[in-house]
Amino acid sequence: MSAMLTVENIVKVYRAHGSDVRAVDGVSFEVEAGTTFGLVGESGSGKSTVARCALRLIEPTSGSSSIDGEPIGGLRNQTLRRLRASTGMVFQNPVAALNPRLTIEQSIGEPLRTHTPLRGRALAVRTRELLDEVGLAQAHAERLPHQLSGGQCQRVGIARALATRPKLLVLDEPTSALDVSVQAQVLNLLQELRREYSLSYLLISHDLDVVRYMSDAAGVMRKGSLVEVGPASEVLVSPQHEYTQRLLAAMPETPGAVPVPPPPRIRSEEARGGPPGTPIEASSITPSLNENRIPS
Ligand SMILES: Nc1ncnc2c1ncn2[C@@H]1O[C@H](COP(=O)(O)OP(=O)(O)OP(=O)(O)O)[C@@H](O)[C@H]1O
Ligand SMILES: [Mg+2]
């Protein structure tokens, strides 16, 4: 496996009101191609900052990152634009992330106009294709953001992030502003898209169920530093560090926010042979689309 994103010794010092805030203090990790790296940590620990520095949406104080083996430090104009087009970002608040005056079609067309030569009919075709990919109806194209639900707006956000066919997406709390009932649908969509397009994800979430469901590897941030990093099955299930253990214990788990994992075989057999009225029926159980089952 190769690394889709390599982050090396990133430092970010913000200067606010005359004093320095060391928001990120020497963070290094890799996101393997085709996998999801989950980043957790308390509020203010520097997760969003490190993700933005990694994609060079903000300039790090020092350190470097590369996407698919290509260093992005010191790049200018054209090359940086091309490399940026190979990444996408999905934000926490889907409604606020959209321009309220643009129709959904115009919103999705925007990154295409910026990063691709598509115009006119070809642009419209690709926009419609993207609507379809994220599970929205063609009728949504003419609507404005306020005429859509939060979940539908986040699908538009995902379509915008996917517009340039990126290889890497940064998902910064992609479902935390959504109703619990639609969180699982959006997570399912992200998992399907990841498989279909061999995407790599850097996922930031404060919901333990969400990171466990989505991540192959995980890192734990504390006050600007990465205190623990490794396979998700270790870091998020049986962490070595006392800090991680305390953090995980304090992290919320939202019932219903992640897709239902398939029940163990024994349960469906019980259901079949169980007394009349047994609520679980094999046919009514939603099969999970994800190999990374939530550990029960
Ligand atoms: N533009 C800025 N100017 C000054 N300080 C900032 C700026 N952006 C973030 N910070 C500070 O840097 C630190 C890290 O912020 P960051 O947003 O990266 O945290 P986070 O882990 O993403 O938190 P959350 O979980 O609340 O989103 C915080 O102390 C924050 O106040
Ligand atoms: Mg943040």
Side-chain angles (χ1 to χ4, degrees):
M1 269 212 281
S2 62
M4 179 52 65
L5 174 68
T6 306
V7 173
E8 274 174 302
N9 211 8
I10 294 271
V11 174
K12 178 67 186 180
V13 180
Y14 289 114
R15 180 145 272 257
H17 310 296
S19 64
D20 286 349
V21 179
R22 219 171 165 80
V24 178
D25 196 6
V27 167
S28 307
F29 62 89
E30 283 189 351
V31 182
E32 295 288 345
T35 72
T36 299
F37 185 95
L39 203 53
V40 299
E42 57 197 297
S43 181
S45 57
K47 306 178 297 293
S48 297
T49 302
V50 81
R52 281 158 201 268
C53 286
L55 299 193
R56 278 297 197 281
L57 298 174
I58 56 174
E59 196 58 32
T61 306
S62 64
S64 60
S65 55
S66 41
I67 294 168
D68 207 8
E70 200 164 352
I72 57 174
L75 288 181
R76 303 217 170 265
N77 308 328
Q78 284 241 315
T79 334
L80 186 59
R81 264 177 66 162
R82 181 177 51 74
L83 219 58
R84 281 239 181 89
S86 69
T87 65
M89 183 125 189
V90 176
F91 300 96
Q92 172 170 4
N93 190 332
V95 184
L98 298 174
N99 182 333
R101 283 185 214 90
L102 296 186
T103 64
I104 299 313
E105 180 165 24
Q106 288 167 333
S107 268
I108 298 176
E110 205 178 49
L112 292 170
R113 254 181 247 108
T114 310
H115 292 289
T116 74
L118 295 179
R119 296 293 179 271
R121 176 141 178 77
L123 186 90
V125 167
R126 175 71 183 133
T127 303
R128 302 283 164 149
E129 199 177 271
L130 281 161
L131 275 176
D132 202 47
E133 280 172 21
V134 298
L136 288 171
Q138 298 299 321
H140 291 120
E142 307 307 325
R143 299 212 196 147
L144 292 166
H146 78 269
Q147 296 169 315
L148 262 55
S149 69
Q152 288 168 336
C153 281
Q154 193 56 305
R155 286 172 191 267
V156 176
I158 295 168
R160 279 167 56 86
L162 285 177
T164 54
R165 302 183 201 275
K167 301 176 225 165
L168 171 75
L169 289 191
V170 171
L171 313 166
D172 195 346
E173 304 277 7
T175 55
S176 50
L178 304 178
D179 284 348
V180 171
S181 58
V182 297
Q183 289 190 13
Q185 294 166 21
V186 171
L187 292 176
N188 249 340
L189 171 68
L190 288 167
Q191 290 290 64
E192 282 169 24
L193 291 168
R194 191 178 62 76
R195 272 195 294 274
E196 187 161 348
Y197 300 106
S198 307
L199 298 168
S200 312
Y201 290 160
L202 172 57
L203 168 74
I204 296 168
S205 176
H206 68 264
D207 190 300
L208 191 51
D209 276 340
V210 171
V211 268
R212 277 191 185 146
Y213 175 70
M214 297 285 286
S215 309
D216 302 288
V220 180
M221 283 195 68
R222 182 193 193 185
K223 295 181 183 163
S225 300
L226 206 50
V227 292
E228 186 161 358
V229 63
S233 57
E234 291 169 20
V235 175
L236 301 174
V237 180
S238 48
Q240 296 301 305
H241 292 242
E242 200 224 326
Y243 176 75
T244 313
Q245 291 164 7
R246 276 190 284 126
L247 177 79
L248 298 193
M251 276 171 78
E253 305 178 27
T254 313
V258 298
V260 183
R265 190 172 291 276
I266 185 111
R267 267 187 42 212
S268 45
E269 270 157 19
E270 264 167 26
R272 239 178 283 131
T278 303
I280 307 164
E281 282 196 338
S283 62
S284 70
I285 293 161
T286 322
S288 169
L289 292 155
N290 181 22
E291 306 90 39
N292 303 322
R293 297 193 186 141
I294 318 164
S296 44

